Amino acid sequence: MENELIVRDCITDLVIPALNEEGAIGKVVLSVPKALVRNIIVVDNGSTDDTVSVAGKQGAIVLSESERGYGAACLRGIEYSISQPQPPDVIAFMDGDFSDHAEEIDTLIDPIKHNIADLVLGSRVMGKREKGSLTPQQVVGNKIATSLLKYFYDQSYTDLGPFRAIRTESLLLLQMKDRNYGWTVEMQIKAAKNKLRILEVPVSYRNRIGYSKVSGTIKGSVMAGYKIIHTLLKHS
């Protein structure tokens, strides 16, 4: 009976950081299963194109975060979500470039609904992905980072992917701080340290629309790699 109540009453908000994604964000918002998600929150991170208007026209709640950084945008979305008269039971995250398959969000939410997990991570490594959707530097970086996570925190992960869902009370327990490249790894480190029930599920992944601000440039890749390693060592 308890699990039936969790399933019926589970409220999910989805946070989507976005920067110059006018060609993708409309498709992303439209592909989200509205029966499963209460609020689709697009956090614009300083776009100079029509990302804001496209997202708004498709029914998303559009917020602005002037400080550039993936983590800063995620934190802004969380702030809005938990400030609602009825905070969500679950907060999910995904990218705004149409690389994630939003229709698979149920595979992330269901284990939390059924009280099996507190944090569910979509693994692109375990799932089906289009050729070229993960760059060589992403594949290598993922392998190094997940190996270090296993070494320092005795927690097995296969991916640092953006598509994930977490119980709201668990998210608040983690006291997330990172405001840029270290956001995903910080969550996974703190989840392990706080003994959350962590589950990885396979998700599909396709080539993004547009170019990546991180893996699409040498500077972005280097900075992201440095920040991930720095975050791993700092929390160890």
Side-chain angles (χ1 to χ4, degrees):
M1 180 62 70
E2 180 182 353
N3 282 351
E4 290 177 1
L5 290 173
I6 292 172
V7 171
R8 186 173 68 244
D9 296 335
C10 186
I11 298 170
T12 300
D13 284 349
L14 174 63
V15 176
I16 308 174
L19 174 61
N20 292 331
E21 302 288 5
E22 66 176 0
I25 197 63
K27 295 178 181 292
V28 174
V29 174
L30 284 173
S31 66
V32 176
K34 308 306 187 290
L36 300 179
V37 175
R38 177 183 66 175
N39 293 320
I40 303 172
I41 305 166
V42 173
V43 185
D44 181 67
N45 206 200
S47 296
T48 55
D49 61 7
D50 288 332
T51 295
V52 170
S53 61
V54 172
K57 286 176 182 177
Q58 299 303 337
I61 296 167
V62 183
L63 309 178
S64 177
E65 174 50 62
S66 59
E67 179 187 346
R68 286 287 179 92
Y70 190 87
C74 288
L75 288 167
R76 177 73 181 92
I78 293 168
E79 178 185 40
Y80 174 87
S81 179
I82 64 175
S83 71
Q84 300 308 296
Q86 185 173 10
D89 302 292
V90 175
I91 300 180
F93 302 87
M94 67 180 294
D95 280 351
D97 57 14
F98 204 55
S99 55
D100 299 311
H101 288 243
E103 66 274 12
E104 295 179 350
I105 196 170
D106 60 323
T107 65
L108 304 181
I109 299 171
D110 280 352
I112 303 176
K113 283 183 179 179
H114 290 89
N115 204 22
I116 296 169
D118 303 306
L119 169 64
V120 182
L121 304 163
S123 171
R124 302 165 294 182
V125 174
M126 294 167 58
K128 296 180 180 179
R129 62 182 189 269
E130 288 184 353
K131 183 178 180 180
S133 56
L134 285 179
T135 64
Q137 56 266 36
Q138 284 178 298
V139 173
V140 172
N142 241 342
K143 185 65 176 177
I144 293 172
T146 53
S147 297
L148 289 172
L149 281 162
K150 177 64 175 176
Y151 178 79
F152 284 118
Y153 306 104
D154 195 29
Q155 177 65 50
S156 296
Y157 294 112
T158 65
D159 198 4
L160 303 180
F163 200 18
R164 54 186 60 202
I166 184 169
R167 194 182 305 277
T168 303
E169 61 183 320
S170 299
L171 177 59
L172 297 180
L173 174 68
L174 300 186
Q175 299 184 38
M176 295 290 293
K177 302 293 184 186
D178 194 274
R179 302 185 69 82
N180 46 65
Y181 300 118
W183 169 266
T184 56
V185 72
E186 181 194 11
M187 183 181 293
Q188 288 170 237
I189 289 170
K190 289 184 172 180
K193 293 178 76 171
N194 283 277
K195 307 299 182 184
L196 296 189
R197 295 172 299 169
I198 303 164
L199 178 66
E200 279 192 306
V201 296
V203 293
S204 305
Y205 199 64
R206 61 187 154 226
N207 288 293
R208 59 163 293 144
I209 294 176
Y211 75 95
S212 172
K213 291 79 178 174
V214 179
S215 60
T217 65
I218 294 175
K219 179 182 178 181
S221 298
V222 171
M223 290 299 295
Y226 167 80
K227 185 57 186 285
I228 288 170
I229 299 300
H230 173 76
T231 303
L232 280 161
L233 296 176
K234 179 177 72 173
H235 288 284
S236 68

